Amino acid sequence: MIELYDLINKGFGGVQIIVTLNDLQTFATSLPQGRQNSTAEISGPDDELMTRQQVMVYLKIKETTLYNWGKQGLLMPRKINRKCYYNKKDILALQRGETKISNLNNT
């Protein structure tokens, strides 16, 4: 019998399985600590820059939301070579509910 963890890691696409609650509980306890409630984590210095894709994955938002937040001054992108990057410290501040009011007048 194949383990659920092995099935996921080996990427058996198109396979349907029936999982009991007990199976899910066993699987959840086998995950590394802190991954049971999986959310993306940001590591590195606060002055680090993140791409649009990294921000969308971390905040679990769509590109239109990120664009609208930029227009509203909630999360301002920094353009480098025609690509948008975001300061990690700004993302963390937004996540904590802190918005930079000074950015609202700089549109």
Side-chain angles (χ1 to χ4, degrees), residues 85-104:
Y85 296 92
Y86 298 85
N87 284 323
K88 178 180 143 181
K89 64 182 176 185
D90 293 339
I91 296 161
L92 295 173
L94 180 68
Q95 193 175 37
R96 289 188 302 264
E98 304 166 6
T99 57
K100 297 191 175 190
I101 302 301
S102 60
N103 286 342
L104 293 175

Side-chain angles (χ1 to χ4, degrees), residues 2-107:
I2 190 165
E3 293 289 326
L4 182 59
Y5 188 76
D6 293 333
L7 182 68
I8 292 169
N9 282 337
K10 291 179 182 171
F12 290 108
V15 174
Q16 291 184 343
I17 58 172
I18 297 173
V19 180
T20 66
L21 181 57
N22 191 35
D23 292 337
L24 286 176
Q25 289 171 331
T26 302
F27 177 70
T29 56
S30 72
L31 293 174
Q33 188 63 23
R35 294 289 183 212
Q36 285 88 352
N37 297 325
S38 181
T39 57
E41 295 178 10
I42 300 179
S43 60
D46 281 351
D47 60 347
E48 185 177 308
L49 297 176
M50 297 177 67
T51 65
R52 273 187 184 156
Q53 188 64 35
Q54 289 172 318
V55 174
M56 290 186 303
V57 168
Y58 177 72
L59 295 176
K60 297 178 183 173
I61 59 172
K62 294 186 179 185
E63 189 171 8
T64 53
T65 302
L66 192 56
Y67 174 80
N68 289 334
W69 285 356
K71 286 291 186 187
Q72 295 168 3
L74 295 174
L75 191 59
M76 300 301 295
R78 191 171 161 192
K79 293 193 178 184
I80 302 173
N81 295 329
R82 294 188 285 174
K83 292 185 180 183
C84 289
Y85 296 92
Y86 298 85
N87 284 323
K88 178 180 143 181
K89 64 182 176 185
D90 293 339
I91 296 161
L92 295 173
L94 180 68
Q95 193 175 37
R96 289 188 302 264
E98 304 166 6
T99 57
K100 297 191 175 190
I101 302 301
S102 60
N103 286 342
L104 293 175
N105 298 326
N106 295 336
T107 53

